[in-house]
């Protein structure tokens, strides 16, 4: 069975600072995908960033980057130059080909002006 | 950018009534999913649908639930006899292939009275 663990239920960061959200997962699959989704108060689910397990290079998307450690089964999200609009719930998710997403319990991030 | 569209945005239903939640996936997508998020909890997988049949379902997806793609564009989730515990946000998602990110709709908030 696949599990995704987010150990930080709540975090806060000053505007313009950097914050890192942690995520670990457990799987016996070798080919899989990892994602971070953002859920603002409107409760939409917005894809932030994606990482393929077969790629060693960490994914980057503007101010968002990941630290993917496959051996450690760790997939953290770094948000640089935090903005007020980054305030949201962040979910780490795992998927293997053709299958469902497995979500973590989420980290509530508050950006403080 | 193409979007997954869900209607209604909010549905209020009496306990025991049937409810149908509607989704229009992105037009060239072949994989369809329903997820549920009870308030304050993580997103949970309900069912995946491919090639006009259910490919996977979770323990939550019991005999009270059914899915259908009636006309090649809509993808519906039916709850036959709603219970109080069915109150949640229901997300539809679609993917072009089984290894592409799933694009989520904005969700339908279901409230059972």
């Amino acid at each position: 069975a696949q599990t995704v663990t987010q150990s930080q239920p709540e975090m806060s960061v000053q505007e313009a600072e950097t914050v890192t959200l942690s995520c670990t997962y457990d799987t016996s699959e070798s080919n899989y995908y990892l994602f971070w989704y953002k859920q603002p108060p409107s409760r939409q689910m917005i894809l932030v960033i994606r990482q393929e397990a077969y790629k060693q290079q960490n994914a980057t998307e503007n101010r968002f980057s990941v630290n993917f450690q496959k051996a450690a089964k760790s997939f953290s999200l770094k948000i640089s130059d935090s903005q007020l609009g980054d305030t949201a719930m962040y979910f780490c998710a795992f998927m293997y080909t053709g299958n469902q997403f497995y979500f973590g319990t989420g980290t509530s991030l508050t950006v403080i002006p | 950018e193409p979007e997954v569209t869900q209607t209604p945005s909010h549905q209020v239903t009496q306990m025991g009534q049937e409810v149908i939640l509607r989704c229009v996936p992105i037009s060239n997508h072949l994989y369809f999913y329903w997820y549920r998020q009870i308030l304050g909890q993580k997103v949970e997988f309900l069912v995946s649908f491919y090639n006009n049949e259910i490919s996977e379902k979770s323990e939550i997806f019991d005999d009270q639930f059914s899915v259908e793609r009636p006309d090649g564009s809509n993808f519906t989730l039916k709850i036959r006899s709603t219970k109080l515990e069915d109150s949640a946000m229901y997300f539809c998602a679609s993917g072009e292939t089984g290894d592409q990110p799933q694009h989520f709709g904005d969700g339908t908030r279901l409230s059972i009275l």
Side-chain angles (χ1 to χ4, degrees):
Chain A
Q2 278 58 236
T3 59
V4 178
T5 302
Q6 293 179 249
S7 59
Q8 306 151 313
E10 294 182 359
M11 293 192 72
S12 61
V13 62
Q14 290 290 137
E15 192 175 7
E17 297 293 306
T18 295
V19 64
T20 298
L21 310 183
S22 65
C23 172
T24 59
Y25 60 95
D26 190 21
T27 183
S28 58
E29 300 291 330
S30 56
N31 293 320
Y32 52 87
Y33 304 83
L34 295 160
F35 306 86
W36 279 96
Y37 277 86
K38 169 184 175 180
Q39 187 179 44
S42 62
R43 298 192 75 186
Q44 296 170 281
M45 291 288 283
I46 303 167
L47 177 65
V48 175
I49 199 165
R50 155 198 176 153
Q51 174 81 44
E52 292 90 343
Y54 62 83
K55 289 186 178 178
Q56 292 185 335
Q57 186 173 7
N58 289 323
T60 299
E61 194 70 44
N62 300 315
R63 298 183 294 107
F64 299 88
S65 61
V66 299
N67 184 3
F68 174 48
Q69 302 288 328
K70 189 172 184 179
K73 295 181 180 174
S74 169
F75 182 61
S76 61
L77 174 70
K78 185 170 83 171
I79 305 174
S80 304
D81 185 25
S82 297
Q83 300 175 0
L84 296 179
D86 295 334
T87 292
M89 195 75 159
Y90 287 81
F91 290 97
C92 178
F94 166 99
M95 182 190 87
Y96 60 95
T97 301
N99 211 293
Q100 60 174 291
F101 272 36
Y102 296 85
F103 285 88
T105 51
T107 296
S108 177
L109 177 67
T110 301
V111 179
I112 303 166
Chain B
E1 185 176 329
E3 293 181 343
V4 176
T5 306
Q6 288 187 243
T7 55
S9 57
H10 190 190
Q11 174 80 45
V12 181
T13 302
Q14 291 287 332
M15 185 174 62
Q17 296 295 306
E18 174 184 286
V19 66
I20 297 176
L21 309 182
R22 303 183 191 281
C23 170
V24 179
I26 295 173
S27 61
N28 63 333
H29 285 190
L30 301 177
Y31 292 77
F32 313 111
Y33 309 82
W34 282 101
Y35 292 84
R36 169 182 95 173
Q37 185 184 30
I38 295 171
L39 186 63
Q41 298 186 22
K42 69 178 180 180
V43 179
E44 301 172 290
F45 169 76
L46 292 178
V47 66
S48 59
F49 192 87
Y50 171 72
N51 200 26
N52 285 321
E53 61 183 22
I54 291 174
S55 49
E56 190 175 359
K57 59 183 180 180
S58 71
E59 293 176 351
I60 304 168
F61 195 87
D62 61 21
D63 292 344
Q64 294 299 312
F65 291 88
S66 63
V67 289
E68 194 177 32
R69 189 157 161 79
D71 55 12
S73 62
N74 290 283
F75 179 52
T76 62
L77 174 69
K78 181 192 290 186
I79 308 175
R80 187 176 305 121
S81 178
T82 50
K83 303 186 285 286
L84 294 176
E85 53 265 38
D86 293 328
S87 293
M89 195 77 159
Y90 287 81
F91 291 101
C92 173
S94 70
E96 187 174 355
T97 65
D99 61 354
Q100 291 295 313
Q102 294 169 24
H103 294 256
F104 283 78
D106 289 348
T108 293
R109 186 186 305 273
L110 178 63
S111 300
I112 306 300
L113 305 179

